[in-house]
Every structure is written in structure tokens, then in C-alpha cells.
Amino acid sequence: MRLVLLGPPGAGKGTQAAYIVEKFNIPHISTGDIFRKNVKEGTELGKKAKAYMDKGELVPDEVVVAIVEDRLKEDDCKEGFLLDGFPRTVTQAENLDIVLDKMNVAINKVININVNKDVLVERASGRRVCRNCGATYHIVFKPTKAENICDICGGEVYQRSDDAEATVSKRIEVYIQETQPLIKYYENKGSLVTINGEQDMDHVRKDIISALGE
Ligand code: ADP
Ligand code: ADP
Ligand code: ZN
């Protein structure tokens, strides 16, 4: 299983990724998570990425591609992987194809989670994330059992600074400009499946599993 999750910010990629990687026992590669970890640890990469993330802009392609290429060469990716939030530009997709060609493998399916703008803003602005394990919650749709405490690890749950409403709107614009063209790109390759992401989490999960032929 070599999968890509495509969709605008707040569509539910991370939420669905957690289900998919558990079911298929493959690593979850989220470029957003990698950047947030580096920001938290104060690495050079983190410092570089933060400037773009805070503005709701994309980190430059060459930076992201190099990170993903290294990650895909690790042993746990041999039997498959799930890419979440990458590729995000046509240049990234073309580079991914080159990297996979060299490894003699290919993407099996690109799962496109489709959600309209007003729903995206509601989802992203209510999103809360565990500082410790990265688990994702929502103040209305998936609240923590105890206030601001992660159900899974007991860590502190916080709001991402880029989930402020103004930055979310900017990120949606960037998605439309830079990422949406990938729908055509993968449609032309015959690997795209589009899922109605406006259903509840369980229905979205079921539709994805059945689109994967399971
Ligand atoms: P993405 O990774 O695409 O940015 P997330 O998985 O982090 O999106 O989801 C964004 C927010 O919306 C989170 O707070 C999550 O709990 C919530 N969410 C995800 N899927 C659904 C859904 N199907 N219905 C309602 N809320 C959802
Ligand atoms: P969401 O799914 O809610 O948009 P992510 O966690 O995937 O959020 O990404 C957060 C931020 O990290 C993006 O706004 C961008 O600045 C940066 N980022 C993540 N993945 C990429 C990528 N593939 N290319 C460029 N920037 C990225
Ligand atoms: Zn946690």
C-alpha cells in the first residue's frame, strides 16, 4: 500500500491517516508533523519552516522534497507508506515520481478528501492538537474527555497558531492555487479517488476503506 492523502487544510487528512495506518500497518508520513516537531525542537529546519508556516505559506519545494526522499528510504517504508500533506505542489508531485521511479515503486492510490470552504474554516478553527503525541481533537466534533488533556497520553492539548481564522483563510487560498492542480495530475494518472469529506468521521473512514478495495 503506497498511498497519498490529498485535501485542503482541515479536511480530515490527519484524522483519517490515523485509521488507515493502523489498518494497513504502514508508516504515517506527515510533512506538517515533521515541521512542527522540528519547530518544537528548535532545529535549523524548524527555524526555516516556521517563518512560512506562521504566514500560512508553503515551505519551499526543495526543502520538503529532500525530507520526504530521506524518509522514504528508511526501512519501515519498504512495504508501503501513507503520505499526508505531501505532495502539495505539482513540482513536489513530479519529484516524488522521480524518487519512487528510482526505488522501482509507485503510488497505488491518491485519496482526495473533498470538503467545502465554510466547513474547513469551522474544522480548522476548532482543531486542537496534543503537544506530546500529536493526536487531533475538535472542540465540537471530537472533544477530549478531560478539558485540554489528551485522551491517549495525558499530554497538553493546544491550538496551532496557524489555525487562527485569518491564517486558515490564507492556507485555503494557497491550497486552491498550489495544491488543487494535483487533482487533475493524479486523475490523469488514473490513481485518484475522491471521497465526500463532509460526512462524519466514521463514514469518511468507511468510504476510504471501500475505495481501497478492502
Ligand atoms: P487535516 O489534516 O486535513 O488538516 P484534521 O484531520 O486535522 O485535518 O481535521 C481538522 C479538524 O476537523 C480536527 O479538529 C478534526 O478533529 C476535525 N475533523 C476531522 N474529520 C472530521 C469529520 N469528518 N467531521 C467533523 N470533524 C472532523
Ligand atoms: P493542514 O493539513 O491543516 O494544511 P499541515 O500540518 O499539513 O496542515 O501543514 C502545516 C504547514 O506546514 C503548511 O501550512 C505549510 O506551511 C507546511 N507544510 C506542510 N507540508 C508541506 C508541503 N508538502 N509543502 C510545503 N509546505 C508544507
Ligand atoms: Zn497525546
Side-chain angles (χ1 to χ4, degrees):
M1 277 289 182
R2 295 182 180 84
L3 306 172
V4 169
L5 267 179
L6 193 63
K13 299 183 298 298
T15 300
Q16 297 302 326
Y19 300 133
I20 298 168
V21 298
E22 204 199 319
K23 180 164 175 69
F24 296 107
N25 195 25
I26 48 177
H28 176 195
I29 305 174
S30 158
T31 42
D33 285 351
I34 293 171
F35 290 136
R36 277 185 292 279
K37 182 166 183 278
N38 278 274
V39 170
K40 185 171 137 187
E41 291 169 356
T43 66
E44 280 310 306
L45 173 64
K47 281 176 202 151
K48 195 187 262 180
K50 189 174 188 303
Y52 296 96
M53 296 169 82
D54 283 348
K55 285 189 277 187
E57 291 173 1
L58 295 180
V59 176
D61 288 332
E62 61 275 17
V63 176
V64 193
V65 168
I67 288 166
V68 174
E69 178 164 18
D70 284 349
R71 182 66 188 86
L72 290 176
K73 285 178 179 157
E74 284 180 39
D75 265 2
D76 63 339
C77 293
K78 283 215 167 79
E79 303 301 321
F81 51 78
L82 173 69
L83 288 168
D84 164 10
F86 180 94
R88 242 178 168 97
T89 66
V90 171
T91 304
Q92 290 180 19
E94 288 167 351
N95 279 282
L96 175 63
D97 285 341
I98 294 169
V99 168
L100 294 178
D101 268 352
K102 277 193 268 180
M103 296 168 73
N104 276 313
V105 297
I107 296 295
N108 305 111
K109 280 246 161 27
V110 176
I111 303 155
N112 174 35
I113 304 183
N114 189 34
V115 174
N116 284 312
K117 184 171 176 173
D118 45 330
V119 178
L120 294 175
V121 174
E122 185 186 28
R123 285 191 186 172
S125 51
R127 169 163 49 195
R128 298 292 183 272
V129 182
C130 174
R131 238 183 242 290
N132 180 50
C133 76
T136 301
Y137 299 92
H138 189 282
I139 51 170
V140 176
F141 305 122
K142 195 184 179 183
T144 51
K145 292 201 181 84
E147 205 173 331
N148 296 329
I149 294 173
C150 177
D151 294 355
I152 299 167
C153 77
E156 183 209 354
V157 168
Y158 79 111
Q159 180 174 32
R160 280 168 45 181
S161 57
D162 63 342
D163 278 340
E165 208 162 313
T167 318
V168 171
S169 296
K170 166 75 181 171
R171 286 159 59 205
I172 293 170
E173 271 168 41
V174 169
Y175 167 83
I176 292 168
Q177 285 292 321
E178 305 278 341
T179 310
Q180 202 155 260
L182 291 180
I183 293 176
K184 264 272 151 338
Y185 182 90
Y186 285 116
E187 223 163 44
N188 291 339
K189 287 180 173 283
S191 49
L192 191 86
V193 285
T194 294
I195 304 288
N196 173 9
E198 294 196 2
Q199 312 171 88
D200 63 40
M201 294 174 200
D202 240 37
H203 280 94
V204 176
R205 178 175 56 87
K206 283 179 187 143
D207 282 2
I208 292 175
I209 302 291
S210 69
L212 294 175
E214 294 285 318

